[in-house]
Amino acid sequence: MTKIGTSEKELKYVLKHSSSGIIDEKDVVNFCHNYTQIPRATIGASLDSILQTIEHYLSLGYSVKLGDIGIFYITADARTVESNTEAGLGQLRDVNIRFRPSKELQEHIRKADKECEGIYRIVAT
């Protein structure tokens, strides 16, 4: 029990996902090379090309679906106005890139997460 002011509050605990860090492009290229033996330069060039392709199509207003990974898409945040004549690009506040993982990816991560106890920590609320 923890005393807060003049009343006592019972602590409760919850399991939280704990990030293991960030994997960068070099790490991805090395992992793919070790897994497939495809030359690192080929993997790196392919990855750069894929990223440029995603950027290109998103900038044209398309959503981009990558197999069983998921879909990248754009959303916009804009002010509302009173009339159609006021409507236009001036309303735009921000453009956001979103990602919706596929069901297959979600299921894979849920299954893997349950097998990896080391990526969780217990915290008091």
Side-chain angles (χ1 to χ4, degrees):
M1 300 262 262
T2 301
K3 189 167 183 157
I4 300 174
T6 57
S7 63
E8 290 186 5
K9 181 181 177 186
E10 186 175 327
L11 284 178
K12 295 184 180 184
Y13 299 90
V14 66
L15 194 64
K16 294 282 186 175
H17 192 273
S18 180
S19 175
S20 298
I22 296 174
I23 300 299
D24 65 14
E25 185 175 340
K26 181 181 173 185
D27 296 321
V28 171
V29 168
N30 285 331
F31 182 88
C32 290
H33 168 72
N34 292 336
Y35 187 75
T36 65
Q37 297 305 305
I38 295 172
R40 285 181 179 84
T42 301
I43 295 169
S46 297
L47 185 55
D48 287 342
S49 179
I50 291 166
L51 295 175
Q52 287 176 4
T53 302
I54 292 169
E55 290 172 5
H56 172 76
Y57 282 108
L58 287 175
S59 69
L60 294 176
Y62 290 92
S63 294
V64 179
K65 181 179 180 193
L66 296 179
D68 289 340
I69 295 174
I71 299 175
F72 291 91
Y73 62 99
I74 299 289
T75 63
D77 180 27
R79 291 181 299 108
T80 56
V81 290
E82 297 295 321
S83 71
N84 190 27
T85 57
E86 297 176 76
L89 288 177
Q91 295 171 252
L92 196 59
R93 285 188 268 205
D94 202 6
V95 175
N96 304 296
I97 300 172
R98 303 283 188 226
F99 175 73
R100 184 174 50 234
S102 70
K103 288 180 183 177
E104 293 84 3
L105 179 60
Q106 289 177 346
E107 289 171 12
H108 177 79
I109 295 304
R110 284 185 188 116
K111 181 180 176 188
D113 250 14
K114 290 178 182 175
E115 296 170 359
C116 300
E117 288 185 37
I119 61 174
Y120 293 97
R121 59 190 166 84
I122 297 171
V123 296
T125 59

